[in-house]
Coordinates of all heavy atoms in Angstrom, one line a residue:
H48 N 1.6 -9.0 0.0 CA 0.4 -8.8 0.7 C -0.3 -10.1 1.1 O -0.7 -10.2 2.3 CB -0.6 -8.0 -0.1 CG -0.2 -6.6 -0.4 ND1 -0.9 -5.7 -1.1 CD2 1.0 -5.9 -0.1 CE1 -0.3 -4.5 -1.2 NE2 0.9 -4.6 -0.6
H49 N -0.3 -11.0 0.2 CA -0.9 -12.3 0.5 C -0.3 -13.1 1.6 O -0.9 -13.6 2.5 CB -0.9 -13.2 -0.8 CG -1.6 -14.5 -0.6 ND1 -2.9 -14.6 -0.5 CD2 -1.1 -15.7 -0.5 CE1 -3.2 -15.9 -0.3 NE2 -2.1 -16.6 -0.4
L50 N 1.1 -13.1 1.7 CA 1.8 -13.8 2.7 C 1.6 -13.2 4.1 O 1.4 -13.9 5.1 CB 3.3 -13.8 2.4 CG 3.7 -14.7 1.2 CD1 5.2 -14.5 0.9 CD2 3.3 -16.1 1.4
I51 N 1.5 -11.8 4.1 CA 1.2 -11.2 5.4 C -0.2 -11.5 5.9 O -0.4 -11.8 7.1 CB 1.4 -9.7 5.3 CG1 2.9 -9.4 5.1 CG2 0.9 -8.9 6.5 CD1 3.2 -7.9 4.8
L52 N -1.2 -11.5 5.0 CA -2.5 -11.9 5.3 C -2.6 -13.3 5.9 O -3.3 -13.6 6.8 CB -3.5 -11.7 4.1 CG -3.7 -10.3 3.6 CD1 -4.6 -10.4 2.4 CD2 -4.4 -9.5 4.7
Q53 N -1.9 -14.2 5.2 CA -1.9 -15.6 5.7 C -1.3 -15.8 7.0 O -1.7 -16.7 7.8 CB -1.2 -16.5 4.6 CG -1.9 -16.6 3.3 CD -3.4 -17.0 3.4 OE1 -3.7 -18.0 4.1 NE2 -4.3 -16.2 2.8
A54 N -0.3 -15.0 7.4 CA 0.3 -15.1 8.7 C -0.5 -14.4 9.8 O -0.1 -14.6 11.0 CB 1.7 -14.4 8.6
C55 N -1.5 -13.7 9.5 CA -2.3 -13.0 10.5 C -3.0 -14.0 11.3 O -3.8 -14.8 10.8 CB -3.3 -12.0 9.8 SG -4.3 -11.1 11.0
A56 N -2.8 -14.0 12.6 CA -3.4 -15.0 13.5 C -4.9 -14.7 13.8 O -5.6 -15.6 14.2 CB -2.6 -15.0 14.8
N57 N -5.3 -13.4 13.7 CA -6.7 -13.0 14.0 C -7.6 -13.2 12.7 O -7.4 -12.5 11.8 CB -6.7 -11.6 14.4 CG -8.1 -11.1 14.8 OD1 -9.1 -11.5 14.2 ND2 -8.1 -10.2 15.8
P58 N -8.5 -14.2 12.8 CA -9.3 -14.5 11.6 C -10.2 -13.4 11.1 O -10.4 -13.2 9.9 CB -10.1 -15.8 11.9 CG -10.1 -15.8 13.4 CD -8.8 -15.1 13.9
F59 N -10.7 -12.6 12.1 CA -11.5 -11.4 11.8 C -10.7 -10.3 11.1 O -11.2 -9.8 10.1 CB -12.2 -10.9 13.0 CG -13.1 -11.9 13.6 CD1 -12.8 -12.5 14.8 CD2 -14.3 -12.3 13.0 CE1 -13.6 -13.5 15.4 CE2 -15.1 -13.3 13.6 CZ -14.8 -13.9 14.8
L60 N -9.6 -10.1 11.6 CA -8.7 -9.1 11.0 C -8.2 -9.5 9.6 O -8.2 -8.8 8.7 CB -7.5 -8.8 11.9 CG -6.5 -7.8 11.4 CD1 -7.1 -6.4 11.2 CD2 -5.3 -7.6 12.4
R61 N -7.9 -10.8 9.5 CA -7.4 -11.4 8.2 C -8.5 -11.2 7.2 O -8.3 -10.8 6.1 CB -7.0 -12.8 8.4 CG -6.5 -13.4 7.1 CD -6.0 -14.8 7.2 NE -6.9 -15.7 7.8 CZ -6.8 -16.4 9.0 NH1 -5.7 -16.2 9.7 NH2 -7.7 -17.2 9.4
R62 N -9.8 -11.5 7.6 CA -10.9 -11.4 6.6 C -11.1 -9.9 6.2 O -11.3 -9.6 5.0 CB -12.2 -12.0 7.2 CG -13.3 -12.0 6.3 CD -13.1 -12.9 5.1 NE -14.2 -12.8 4.2 CZ -14.1 -12.8 2.9 NH1 -12.9 -13.0 2.4 NH2 -15.1 -12.6 2.1
A63 N -11.0 -9.0 7.2 CA -11.2 -7.6 6.9 C -10.1 -7.1 5.9 O -10.4 -6.4 5.0 CB -11.2 -6.8 8.2
M64 N -8.9 -7.6 6.2 CA -7.8 -7.2 5.3 C -7.9 -7.8 3.9 O -7.6 -7.1 2.9 CB -6.4 -7.6 6.0 CG -6.1 -6.8 7.2 SD -4.7 -7.5 8.2 CE -3.4 -7.5 7.0
E65 N -8.4 -9.0 3.8 CA -8.6 -9.6 2.5 C -9.7 -8.8 1.7 O -9.5 -8.6 0.5 CB -9.0 -11.1 2.7 CG -7.9 -12.0 3.1 CD -8.4 -13.4 3.5 OE1 -9.6 -13.6 3.7 OE2 -7.5 -14.2 3.7
E66 N -10.7 -8.4 2.4 CA -11.8 -7.6 1.8 C -11.2 -6.3 1.3 O -11.5 -5.9 0.1 CB -12.9 -7.4 2.7 CG -13.8 -8.6 3.0 CD -14.6 -9.0 1.7 OE1 -15.0 -8.2 1.0 OE2 -14.7 -10.3 1.6
Q67 N -10.4 -5.6 2.1 CA -9.9 -4.4 1.7 C -8.9 -4.5 0.6 O -8.9 -3.7 -0.4 CB -9.1 -3.8 2.9 CG -8.5 -2.4 2.7 CD -7.1 -2.4 2.1 OE1 -6.4 -3.4 2.2 NE2 -6.8 -1.4 1.4
E68 N -8.2 -5.6 0.5 CA -7.2 -5.9 -0.6 C -8.0 -6.0 -1.9 O -7.6 -5.5 -2.9 CB -6.4 -7.1 -0.2 CG -5.3 -7.4 -1.2 CD -4.2 -6.5 -1.2 OE1 -4.1 -5.6 -0.3 OE2 -3.3 -6.6 -2.1
S69 N -9.1 -6.8 -1.8 CA -9.9 -7.0 -3.1 C -10.5 -5.7 -3.6 O -10.5 -5.4 -4.7 CB -10.9 -8.0 -3.0 OG -11.1 -8.6 -1.8
L70 N -11.0 -4.9 -2.6 CA -11.6 -3.6 -3.0 C -10.6 -2.6 -3.6 O -10.9 -1.9 -4.5 CB -12.3 -3.0 -1.8 CG -13.6 -3.7 -1.3 CD1 -14.1 -3.1 0.0 CD2 -14.6 -3.6 -2.4
R71 N -9.4 -2.7 -3.1 CA -8.3 -1.8 -3.5 C -8.0 -2.0 -5.0 O -7.9 -1.1 -5.8 CB -7.0 -2.0 -2.7 CG -5.9 -1.1 -3.1 CD -4.7 -1.3 -2.2 NE -4.1 -2.6 -2.3 CZ -3.2 -2.9 -3.2 NH1 -2.7 -2.0 -4.0 NH2 -2.7 -4.1 -3.3
F72 N -8.1 -3.3 -5.4 CA -7.8 -3.6 -6.9 C -9.0 -3.2 -7.7 O -8.8 -2.9 -8.9 CB -7.4 -5.1 -7.1 CG -6.0 -5.3 -6.7 CD1 -5.7 -6.0 -5.6 CD2 -5.0 -4.9 -7.6 CE1 -4.4 -6.2 -5.2 CE2 -3.7 -5.2 -7.3 CZ -3.3 -5.8 -6.1
I73 N -10.2 -3.2 -7.2 CA -11.4 -2.8 -8.0 C -11.4 -1.3 -8.0 O -11.7 -0.7 -9.1 CB -12.6 -3.4 -7.3 CG1 -12.6 -4.9 -7.4 CG2 -13.9 -2.8 -7.9 CD1 -13.7 -5.6 -6.5
A74 N -11.2 -0.6 -6.9 CA -11.4 0.8 -6.8 C -10.3 1.7 -7.5 O -10.6 2.8 -8.0 CB -11.6 1.2 -5.4
V75 N -9.1 1.3 -7.4 CA -8.0 2.2 -7.8 C -7.0 1.4 -8.6 O -6.8 0.2 -8.3 CB -7.3 2.9 -6.6 CG1 -8.2 3.8 -5.9 CG2 -6.7 1.9 -5.7
A76 N -6.3 2.1 -9.5 CA -5.2 1.5 -10.2 C -4.0 1.4 -9.2 O -3.7 2.4 -8.5 CB -4.8 2.3 -11.4
P77 N -3.3 0.3 -9.1 CA -2.2 0.2 -8.2 C -1.1 1.3 -8.5 O -0.6 1.3 -9.6 CB -1.6 -1.2 -8.4 CG -2.7 -2.0 -9.1 CD -3.5 -0.9 -9.8
T78 N -0.8 2.1 -7.6 CA 0.2 3.2 -7.8 C 1.6 2.6 -8.0 O 2.4 3.3 -8.6 CB 0.2 4.2 -6.7 OG1 0.5 3.6 -5.5 CG2 -1.2 4.9 -6.6
W79 N 1.9 1.4 -7.5 CA 3.2 0.9 -7.7 C 3.6 0.6 -9.1 O 4.7 0.4 -9.4 CB 3.4 -0.4 -6.8 CG 2.4 -1.5 -7.1 CD1 1.3 -1.7 -6.5 CD2 2.5 -2.5 -8.1 NE1 0.6 -2.8 -7.0 CE2 1.4 -3.3 -8.0 CE3 3.5 -2.7 -9.1 CZ2 1.2 -4.4 -8.9 CZ3 3.2 -3.8 -10.0 CH2 2.1 -4.6 -9.9
R80 N 2.6 0.6 -10.0 CA 2.9 0.3 -11.4 C 3.4 1.6 -12.1 O 3.9 1.5 -13.2 CB 1.6 -0.2 -12.1 CG 1.2 -1.5 -11.7 CD 0.1 -2.0 -12.5 NE -0.3 -3.3 -12.1 CZ -1.4 -4.0 -12.5 NH1 -2.2 -3.4 -13.3 NH2 -1.7 -5.1 -12.0
L81 N 3.3 2.7 -11.5 CA 3.8 3.9 -12.1 C 5.3 4.1 -11.8 O 5.7 3.9 -10.7 CB 3.0 5.1 -11.5 CG 1.5 5.1 -11.6 CD1 0.8 6.2 -10.8 CD2 1.1 5.2 -13.1
P82 N 6.0 4.4 -12.9 CA 7.5 4.5 -12.7 C 7.9 5.3 -11.5 O 8.9 5.0 -10.8 CB 8.0 5.0 -14.0 CG 6.9 4.7 -15.0 CD 5.6 4.7 -14.2
A83 N 7.3 6.4 -11.3 CA 7.7 7.3 -10.2 C 7.5 6.7 -8.9 O 8.1 7.2 -7.9 CB 6.8 8.6 -10.3
R84 N 6.7 5.7 -8.7 CA 6.5 5.1 -7.4 C 7.0 3.7 -7.2 O 7.2 3.2 -6.1 CB 4.9 5.1 -7.3 CG 4.4 4.5 -6.0 CD 4.3 5.5 -4.8 NE 3.8 4.8 -3.7 CZ 4.4 4.5 -2.6 NH1 5.7 4.8 -2.5 NH2 3.8 3.8 -1.6
A85 N 7.4 3.0 -8.3 CA 7.8 1.6 -8.2 C 9.0 1.3 -7.3 O 8.9 0.5 -6.5 CB 8.1 1.1 -9.6
E86 N 10.0 2.1 -7.5 CA 11.2 1.9 -6.7 C 11.0 2.2 -5.2 O 11.4 1.5 -4.3 CB 12.4 2.8 -7.2 CG 13.7 2.5 -6.5 CD 14.9 3.2 -7.1 OE1 14.9 3.4 -8.3 OE2 15.7 3.6 -6.3
E87 N 10.2 3.3 -4.9 CA 9.9 3.6 -3.6 C 9.0 2.5 -2.9 O 9.2 2.2 -1.8 CB 9.1 5.0 -3.5 CG 8.8 5.5 -2.2 CD 8.1 6.8 -2.2 OE1 7.6 7.2 -3.2 OE2 8.0 7.4 -1.1
T88 N 8.1 2.0 -3.7 CA 7.2 0.9 -3.2 C 8.0 -0.3 -2.8 O 7.8 -0.9 -1.8 CB 6.1 0.6 -4.2 OG1 5.3 1.7 -4.4 CG2 5.3 -0.6 -3.8
F89 N 9.0 -0.6 -3.7 CA 9.9 -1.8 -3.4 C 10.6 -1.6 -2.1 O 10.7 -2.5 -1.3 CB 10.8 -2.0 -4.6 CG 11.8 -3.2 -4.4 CD1 11.3 -4.5 -4.5 CD2 13.1 -3.0 -4.0 CE1 12.2 -5.5 -4.3 CE2 13.9 -4.0 -3.7 CZ 13.5 -5.3 -3.9
R90 N 11.2 -0.4 -1.9 CA 11.9 -0.1 -0.7 C 11.0 -0.2 0.6 O 11.4 -0.8 1.6 CB 12.6 1.2 -0.7 CG 13.8 1.3 -1.6 CD 14.6 2.6 -1.3 NE 13.8 3.8 -1.5 CZ 13.7 4.4 -2.6 NH1 14.3 4.0 -3.7 NH2 12.9 5.5 -2.7
E91 N 9.8 0.3 0.4 CA 8.8 0.3 1.5 C 8.4 -1.2 1.9 O 8.4 -1.6 3.1 CB 7.6 1.1 1.2 CG 7.8 2.6 1.1 CD 6.7 3.3 0.5 OE1 5.7 2.7 0.0 OE2 6.9 4.6 0.4
H92 N 8.2 -2.0 0.9 CA 7.8 -3.4 1.1 C 9.0 -4.1 1.7 O 8.8 -5.0 2.6 CB 7.4 -4.1 -0.2 CG 6.0 -3.8 -0.7 ND1 5.6 -4.1 -1.9 CD2 5.0 -3.1 0.0 CE1 4.3 -3.7 -2.0 NE2 4.0 -3.1 -0.9
T93 N 10.2 -3.9 1.3 CA 11.4 -4.5 1.9 C 11.5 -4.1 3.3 O 11.8 -5.0 4.2 CB 12.6 -4.1 1.1 OG1 12.5 -4.5 -0.3 CG2 13.9 -4.7 1.7
A94 N 11.3 -2.9 3.7 CA 11.4 -2.5 5.1 C 10.3 -3.2 6.0 O 10.6 -3.6 7.1 CB 11.2 -1.0 5.2
I95 N 9.1 -3.3 5.4 CA 8.1 -4.0 6.2 C 8.4 -5.5 6.4 O 8.4 -6.0 7.5 CB 6.7 -3.9 5.4 CG1 6.3 -2.4 5.4 CG2 5.6 -4.8 6.1 CD1 5.1 -2.2 4.4
L96 N 8.8 -6.1 5.3 CA 9.2 -7.5 5.4 C 10.3 -7.8 6.3 O 10.3 -8.7 7.1 CB 9.5 -8.1 4.0 CG 9.8 -9.6 3.9 CD1 8.6 -10.4 4.4 CD2 10.1 -9.9 2.5
E97 N 11.4 -7.0 6.2 CA 12.5 -7.2 7.1 C 12.2 -7.0 8.6 O 12.6 -7.8 9.4 CB 13.6 -6.2 6.7 CG 14.4 -6.5 5.4 CD 15.4 -5.5 5.0 OE1 15.4 -4.4 5.6 OE2 16.1 -5.8 4.1
A98 N 11.3 -6.1 8.9 CA 10.9 -5.9 10.2 C 10.0 -7.1 10.7 O 10.2 -7.5 11.9 CB 10.1 -4.6 10.4
I99 N 9.2 -7.6 9.9 CA 8.3 -8.7 10.2 C 9.3 -9.9 10.5 O 9.1 -10.6 11.5 CB 7.3 -9.1 9.1 CG1 6.2 -8.0 9.1 CG2 6.7 -10.4 9.4 CD1 5.3 -8.1 7.9
L100 N 10.2 -10.2 9.6 CA 11.1 -11.4 9.7 C 12.0 -11.3 11.0 O 12.3 -12.3 11.5 CB 11.9 -11.5 8.5 CG 11.1 -11.9 7.2 CD1 12.0 -12.0 6.0 CD2 10.4 -13.3 7.4
A101 N 12.3 -10.0 11.3 CA 13.1 -9.8 12.5 C 12.3 -9.9 13.8 O 12.8 -9.8 14.9 CB 13.9 -8.5 12.4
G102 N 11.0 -10.0 13.7 CA 10.1 -10.0 14.8 C 10.0 -8.7 15.5 O 9.6 -8.6 16.7
R103 N 10.2 -7.6 14.8 CA 10.1 -6.2 15.4 C 8.8 -5.6 15.0 O 8.7 -4.8 14.0 CB 11.3 -5.4 14.9 CG 12.6 -6.1 15.3 CD 13.8 -5.4 14.9 NE 14.0 -4.2 15.8 CZ 14.8 -3.3 15.6 NH1 15.7 -3.3 14.6 NH2 14.9 -2.3 16.5
L104 N 7.8 -6.0 15.7 CA 6.4 -5.5 15.4 C 6.3 -4.0 15.4 O 5.7 -3.5 14.4 CB 5.4 -6.1 16.4 CG 4.0 -5.8 16.1 CD1 3.5 -6.3 14.8 CD2 3.1 -6.4 17.2
P105 N 6.7 -3.2 16.4 CA 6.6 -1.8 16.3 C 7.2 -1.2 15.0 O 6.7 -0.3 14.4 CB 7.3 -1.3 17.5 CG 7.2 -2.4 18.5 CD 7.4 -3.6 17.6
R106 N 8.4 -1.7 14.6 CA 9.1 -1.3 13.4 C 8.3 -1.6 12.2 O 8.2 -0.8 11.3 CB 10.5 -1.9 13.4 CG 11.3 -1.4 12.3 CD 12.7 -2.0 12.4 NE 13.5 -1.8 11.2 CZ 14.6 -2.4 11.0 NH1 15.2 -3.0 12.0 NH2 15.2 -2.2 9.9
A107 N 7.7 -2.8 12.2 CA 6.9 -3.3 11.0 C 5.7 -2.4 10.9 O 5.3 -2.0 9.8 CB 6.5 -4.7 11.2
I108 N 5.0 -2.1 12.0 CA 3.8 -1.2 12.0 C 4.2 0.2 11.5 O 3.5 0.7 10.7 CB 3.2 -1.2 13.4 CG1 2.6 -2.5 13.7 CG2 2.1 -0.1 13.5 CD1 2.1 -2.7 15.2
A109 N 5.3 0.7 12.0 CA 5.7 2.1 11.5 C 6.0 2.1 10.0 O 5.6 3.0 9.3 CB 6.9 2.5 12.3
A110 N 6.7 1.0 9.6 CA 7.0 0.9 8.1 C 5.7 0.8 7.3 O 5.6 1.4 6.2 CB 7.9 -0.3 7.9
L111 N 4.8 0.0 7.8 CA 3.5 -0.1 7.1 C 2.7 1.2 7.0 O 2.2 1.6 6.0 CB 2.6 -1.2 7.8 CG 1.3 -1.5 7.2 CD1 1.4 -1.8 5.7 CD2 0.5 -2.5 7.9
R112 N 2.7 1.9 8.1 CA 2.0 3.2 8.2 C 2.7 4.2 7.2 O 2.0 4.9 6.5 CB 2.0 3.7 9.6 CG 1.0 3.0 10.5 CD 1.0 3.6 11.9 NE -0.1 3.0 12.6 CZ -0.1 2.9 13.9 NH1 0.9 3.4 14.6 NH2 -1.1 2.2 14.5
R113 N 4.0 4.2 7.1 CA 4.7 5.1 6.2 C 4.3 4.7 4.8 O 4.1 5.5 3.9 CB 6.2 5.0 6.4 CG 6.8 5.9 7.4 CD 8.3 6.0 7.3 NE 9.0 4.7 7.4 CZ 9.2 4.0 8.5 NH1 8.9 4.5 9.7 NH2 9.8 2.8 8.5
H114 N 4.3 3.4 4.5 CA 4.0 2.9 3.2 C 2.5 3.3 2.8 O 2.3 3.8 1.7 CB 4.1 1.4 3.1 CG 3.6 0.7 1.9 ND1 4.0 1.1 0.6 CD2 2.6 -0.2 1.7 CE1 3.4 0.4 -0.3 NE2 2.5 -0.4 0.4
L115 N 1.6 3.1 3.7 CA 0.2 3.5 3.4 C 0.1 5.0 3.2 O -0.6 5.5 2.3 CB -0.7 3.0 4.5 CG -0.9 1.5 4.6 CD1 -1.7 1.1 5.8 CD2 -1.5 0.9 3.3
A116 N 0.7 5.8 4.0 CA 0.7 7.2 3.9 C 1.3 7.7 2.5 O 0.7 8.5 1.8 CB 1.4 7.9 5.0
N117 N 2.4 7.1 2.2 CA 3.1 7.5 0.9 C 2.2 7.1 -0.3 O 2.1 7.8 -1.3 CB 4.4 6.8 0.8 CG 5.4 7.4 1.7 OD1 5.3 8.5 2.2 ND2 6.5 6.7 2.0
A118 N 1.6 5.9 -0.2 CA 0.8 5.4 -1.3 C -0.5 6.3 -1.5 O -0.8 6.7 -2.6 CB 0.3 4.0 -1.1
R119 N -1.0 6.7 -0.3 CA -2.2 7.6 -0.3 C -1.9 8.9 -0.9 O -2.6 9.4 -1.8 CB -2.7 7.8 1.1 CG -3.9 8.7 1.2 CD -4.4 8.8 2.6 NE -5.5 9.7 2.7 CZ -5.5 11.0 2.8 NH1 -4.3 11.6 2.8 NH2 -6.6 11.7 2.9
E120 N -0.7 9.5 -0.5 CA -0.3 10.8 -1.0 C 0.0 10.7 -2.5 O -0.4 11.6 -3.3 CB 0.9 11.3 -0.3 CG 1.4 12.7 -0.7 CD 0.3 13.7 -0.6 OE1 -0.5 13.7 0.3 OE2 0.2 14.6 -1.5
H121 N 0.6 9.7 -3.0 CA 0.9 9.5 -4.4 C -0.4 9.4 -5.2 O -0.6 10.1 -6.2 CB 1.8 8.3 -4.6 CG 2.2 8.2 -6.1 ND1 3.3 9.0 -6.6 CD2 1.8 7.5 -7.1 CE1 3.4 8.7 -7.9 NE2 2.5 7.8 -8.2
L122 N -1.3 8.6 -4.7 CA -2.6 8.5 -5.4 C -3.4 9.8 -5.4 O -3.9 10.2 -6.5 CB -3.5 7.4 -4.7 CG -4.8 7.2 -5.3 CD1 -4.7 6.7 -6.7 CD2 -5.6 6.2 -4.5
L123 N -3.4 10.5 -4.3 CA -4.1 11.8 -4.3 C -3.4 12.8 -5.3 O -4.1 13.6 -6.0 CB -4.1 12.4 -2.9 CG -5.0 11.7 -1.9 CD1 -4.8 12.3 -0.5 CD2 -6.5 11.7 -2.3
R124 N -2.1 12.8 -5.3 CA -1.4 13.7 -6.3 C -1.8 13.3 -7.7 O -2.0 14.2 -8.5 CB 0.1 13.6 -6.0 CG 0.9 14.6 -6.8 CD 2.4 14.5 -6.4 NE 2.5 13.2 -5.8 CZ 3.5 12.8 -4.9 NH1 4.4 13.6 -4.6 NH2 3.6 11.7 -4.3
C125 N -1.9 12.0 -8.0 CA -2.3 11.6 -9.4 C -3.7 12.1 -9.7 O -4.0 12.5 -10.8 CB -2.2 10.1 -9.5 SG -0.5 9.4 -9.5
V126 N -4.6 12.0 -8.7 CA -6.0 12.4 -8.9 C -6.0 13.9 -9.2 O -6.7 14.4 -10.1 CB -6.9 12.0 -7.7 CG1 -8.2 12.7 -7.8 CG2 -7.0 10.5 -7.7
R127 N -5.3 14.7 -8.4 CA -5.3 16.1 -8.5 C -4.7 16.5 -9.9 O -5.3 17.4 -10.6 CB -4.4 16.8 -7.4 CG -5.1 16.8 -6.1 CD -4.4 17.7 -5.1 NE -3.1 17.2 -4.8 CZ -2.8 16.4 -3.7 NH1 -3.7 16.0 -2.9 NH2 -1.6 16.0 -3.5
E128 N -3.6 15.8 -10.3 CA -3.0 16.1 -11.6 C -4.0 15.8 -12.8 O -4.1 16.5 -13.7 CB -1.7 15.4 -11.8 CG -0.6 15.9 -10.9 CD 0.6 15.0 -10.9 OE1 0.7 14.0 -11.6 OE2 1.6 15.4 -10.2
S129 N -4.7 14.7 -12.6 CA -5.7 14.3 -13.6 C -6.8 15.3 -13.7 O -7.3 15.6 -14.8 CB -6.2 12.9 -13.3 OG -7.2 12.5 -14.2
Q130 N -7.3 15.7 -12.6 CA -8.4 16.7 -12.5 C -7.9 18.0 -13.2 O -8.7 18.7 -13.9 CB -8.9 16.9 -11.1 CG -9.6 15.7 -10.6 CD -10.0 15.9 -9.1 OE1 -9.3 16.7 -8.4 NE2 -10.9 15.1 -8.6
A131 N -6.7 18.4 -12.9 CA -6.2 19.7 -13.5 C -6.1 19.5 -15.0 O -6.4 20.5 -15.7 CB -4.8 20.0 -12.9
L132 N -5.7 18.4 -15.5 CA -5.6 18.2 -16.9 C -7.0 18.2 -17.6 O -7.1 18.8 -18.7 CB -4.9 16.8 -17.3 CG -3.4 16.8 -17.0 CD1 -2.9 15.3 -17.2 CD2 -2.6 17.7 -17.9
K133 N -7.9 17.7 -16.9 CA -9.3 17.7 -17.4 C -9.8 19.1 -17.5 O -10.5 19.5 -18.4 CB -10.2 16.8 -16.6 CG -10.0 15.3 -16.8 CD -11.0 14.5 -15.9 CE -10.7 13.1 -16.0 NZ -11.5 12.2 -15.2
R134 N -9.5 19.9 -16.5 CA -10.0 21.3 -16.5 C -9.3 22.1 -17.6 O -9.9 23.0 -18.2 CB -9.7 22.0 -15.2 CG -10.7 21.6 -14.1 CD -10.5 22.4 -12.8 NE -9.2 22.4 -12.2 CZ -8.9 21.5 -11.2 NH1 -9.8 20.6 -10.8 NH2 -7.7 21.5 -10.7
E135 N -8.1 21.8 -17.9 CA -7.4 22.5 -19.0 C -7.8 22.1 -20.4 O -7.7 22.9 -21.3 CB -5.8 22.2 -18.9 CG -5.2 22.8 -17.7 CD -3.7 22.4 -17.5 OE1 -3.2 21.7 -18.4 OE2 -3.2 22.7 -16.4
A136 N -8.4 20.9 -20.5 CA -8.8 20.4 -21.8 C -10.1 21.1 -22.3 O -10.8 21.7 -21.7 CB -9.0 18.9 -21.8

């Protein structure tokens, strides 16, 4: 994440992304630390990085969007499962 932020040419976008990155660590536990998500996260990051290094911006954007959607879905599933466990207790 840090290297992508540093490469961002737009200082306003870079600052917004840096703020979002810090809030993400405060607000939620990183889902990539969960065994069910770690391998998938690695593959997603690899796809993003390969597209960036190849200079294929549309492909990088698509890979990033897939990564964010998958991370969001995994987090929401974890929240739903946690809420269901609390109701059962």
Side-chain angles (χ1 to χ4, degrees):
H48 294 182
H49 181 72
L50 291 175
I51 292 172
L52 290 176
Q53 293 308 309
C55 181
N57 182 323
F59 298 107
L60 180 58
R61 184 176 52 242
R62 183 68 186 139
M64 291 169 60
E65 287 169 348
E66 287 293 324
Q67 184 275 334
E68 184 72 7
S69 359
L70 290 173
R71 184 175 64 87
F72 279 104
I73 294 169
V75 297
T78 60
W79 58 264
R80 291 184 181 172
L81 302 171
R84 179 87 177 107
E86 188 174 323
E87 184 180 13
T88 297
F89 179 77
R90 282 193 308 268
E91 292 166 358
H92 282 170
T93 300
I95 295 165
L96 182 58
E97 286 175 350
I99 290 171
L100 293 175
R103 300 183 75 186
L104 184 59
R106 185 173 163 187
I108 291 170
L111 178 58
R112 286 182 175 154
R113 273 191 308 276
H114 171 58
L115 292 174
N117 290 341
R119 179 182 182 274
E120 182 55 39
H121 186 78
L122 180 61
L123 290 174
R124 189 175 16 203
C125 288
V126 168
R127 285 190 297 267
E128 289 171 4
S129 175
Q130 289 172 340
L132 289 173
K133 286 180 184 177
R134 283 191 298 271
E135 292 174 7

